[in-house]
Every structure is written in C-alpha cells, then in structure tokens.
Amino acid sequence: MSQIPTCVAALAQDRYATHVDTDRRTTDDVVEWIAADAGLDLQAPRLHPARYQLRRLQLGIQHIR
C-alpha cells in the first residue's frame, strides 16, 4: 500500500493518457481496440471459441504447481 501514491503519480504521466475501459469487453475486443488506437493492423485471425477455451485450459494446467 505504500507504493500506491508512486504508482498513481506514474500513471498520471502523458504516456499513460489513454485508458481502455475493459469492463464490458472481451480480451479480443481490447486487443483490437489497442491495435486500432496504435495504428496497427492485426495479421492473425481470432481463435475459434472452442479453440480459445482449449488454449485457456492448457495455460491453466501449465500454471498448476
């Protein structure tokens, strides 16, 4: 908690002026918004929803200790 003032001050800098509202967006929507805001074209297509869930499951299993 002692770092909160330092973090808030750092995030107030101009380089962090653009904030993304992620409350009602999927991860893909956030990625597409950031790419568009940065002027980048995404090359890879989205994963099929079933494949996306499989990928999430694989990553989750990898993080089990």
Side-chain angles (χ1 to χ4, degrees):
M1 287 185 42
S2 64
Q3 294 295 321
I4 291 174
T6 304
C7 293
V8 169
L11 291 172
Q13 296 176 10
D14 286 343
R15 66 159 73 192
Y16 301 110
T18 303
H19 298 275
V20 182
D21 178 16
T22 60
D23 290 340
R24 291 171 295 281
R25 292 184 180 178
T26 65
T27 303
D28 286 332
D29 291 340
V30 172
V31 169
E32 289 172 358
W33 187 93
I34 292 170
D37 188 61
L40 301 172
D41 291 323
L42 297 177
Q43 301 297 313
R46 288 184 177 190
L47 291 176
H48 184 275
R51 189 171 168 111
Y52 173 76
Q53 291 301 327
L54 179 61
R55 178 70 178 140
R56 288 188 64 189
L57 179 61
Q58 289 172 331
L59 289 173
I61 291 171
Q62 289 174 0
H63 288 91
I64 295 174
R65 295 177 191 223

